[in-house]
Amino acid sequence: MRLGPLGVFAGLYLMVLYAPIVLLPMFAFNSGTIIAFPLQGFTLNWFAALLDTPALHEATLNSLIIAVSTAIFATILGLFAARAATRYSFPGKAGIVGFIMLPLVLPEVIVAIALLIVLMQLGLNSGTWSIIAGHTLICTPFAIAILQGSFSNMDRSLEEAAVDLGETPWSTFRLITLPLVTPGIIASLLICFTISLDEFIIAFFLSGNEPTLPVYLWGQLRFPARLPVVMALGTILVALSVVLLIIAETFRRRGLKRAGLKDTGGFL
């Protein structure tokens, strides 16, 4: 079987894309302190060193708090926006939805600088809460995109039948709508959590004295002796991200199967 130009391009693209991810665990388990070939031997010392770094533990805790808060806030806002976008018609709907989705195409450095200027003008200190606000801003469009699909795939006649049988709008949403879109909600939570946990630019501008894990890792890159430890931590983060994406994709496909729809592609 001959590969055409598109196949060659796809192969080169995948190689460039995933080669760094493959090299990451190789050097994380390498006993040498220099990031270069040939490898010197197998070791778990760099992973053990992660347990003896208090600054790393603090940065990890900050990132987890920010990621969980961001996932919850972005999913709640996305739930409301997706519901309004799929169920109601109102003046300027397309423009409003497009404005909400704007952070998807704006460079993050522009968003970060704008948020920093707003904080300075208001005389507020940057920190964990400001990072949560910034991450919620960039994660909400992802939540909307996921939840819009869940609401669009749901049979609206189920809600109408519940109302005809005497249910209130709130009880209809709680008993009928919410269970049907739960896979989308879980997928949104996981995706927003992953995006927030990995995000660097906004966290770098707004972290102040409370660095997140990516900001801490960036600071450690200045010390060559710490690179193997950074590689070990990077390996754990990559594995965690892959697991979360697989779980999110599983819930997304489960939601499509429950709705009786064909899967036309997703995260993975």
Side-chain angles (χ1 to χ4, degrees):
M1 182 178 180
R2 298 179 57 185
L3 290 177
L6 183 59
V8 174
F9 171 78
L12 292 175
Y13 176 82
L14 292 174
M15 183 178 65
V16 173
L17 181 64
Y18 290 107
I21 299 177
V22 174
L23 292 176
L24 192 64
M26 291 177 59
F27 289 113
F29 291 102
N30 180 36
S31 59
T33 57
I34 299 177
I35 309 302
F37 288 103
L39 302 178
Q40 298 185 13
F42 179 84
T43 183
L44 295 175
N45 292 339
W46 311 126
F47 291 89
L50 297 175
L51 302 176
D52 300 324
T53 312
L56 170 62
H57 303 163
E58 183 179 352
T60 302
L61 180 60
N62 289 338
S63 284
L64 290 175
I65 292 173
I66 292 169
V68 171
S69 302
T70 297
I72 294 173
F73 292 146
T75 299
I76 291 174
L77 293 174
L79 187 66
F80 293 153
R83 173 73 175 179
T86 56
R87 289 294 186 266
Y88 303 101
S89 297
F90 47 87
K93 173 181 173 180
I96 294 173
V97 174
F99 183 76
I100 296 174
M101 304 297 285
L102 192 60
L104 284 176
V105 296
L106 283 177
E108 284 191 16
V109 65
I110 301 300
V111 177
I113 293 174
L115 290 173
L116 182 61
I117 292 174
V118 171
L119 290 177
M120 294 175 60
Q121 292 298 319
L122 294 177
L124 301 174
N125 295 324
S126 58
T128 300
W129 72 270
S130 61
I131 302 176
I132 292 174
H135 285 187
T136 300
L137 178 66
I138 63 172
C139 287
T140 298
F142 291 95
I144 294 174
I146 295 171
L147 292 168
Q148 266 189 322
S150 297
F151 280 113
S152 298
N153 294 333
M154 191 181 67
D155 189 356
R156 189 177 300 187
S157 62
L158 297 174
E159 295 176 312
E160 296 173 351
V163 173
D164 291 340
L165 292 174
E167 295 290 345
T168 64
W170 165 245
S171 63
T172 299
F173 180 81
R174 180 172 57 88
L175 298 174
I176 304 299
T177 307
L178 196 58
L180 291 175
V181 299
T182 294
I185 292 175
I186 296 176
S188 172
L189 288 170
L190 293 173
I191 292 298
C192 292
F193 178 88
T194 303
I195 293 172
S196 176
L197 190 66
D198 294 340
E199 202 282 328
F200 169 75
I201 297 177
I202 291 178
F204 178 75
F205 276 85
L206 303 179
S207 60
N209 296 324
E210 301 174 351
T212 62
L213 190 55
V215 175
Y216 172 82
L217 287 176
W218 179 84
Q220 293 300 299
L221 292 177
R222 294 175 296 174
F223 308 103
R226 299 290 295 173
L227 284 180
V229 179
V230 173
M231 293 287 188
L233 182 57
T235 301
I236 295 175
L237 291 177
V238 169
L240 177 62
S241 298
V242 171
V243 169
L244 289 177
L245 285 174
I246 291 175
I247 295 174
E249 178 70 0
T250 300
F251 278 101
R252 187 193 69 84
R253 293 185 180 184
R254 184 177 298 176
L256 290 175
K257 184 177 180 181
R258 180 182 298 180
L261 298 174
K262 183 179 179 181
D263 187 10
T264 57
F267 308 124
L268 302 176

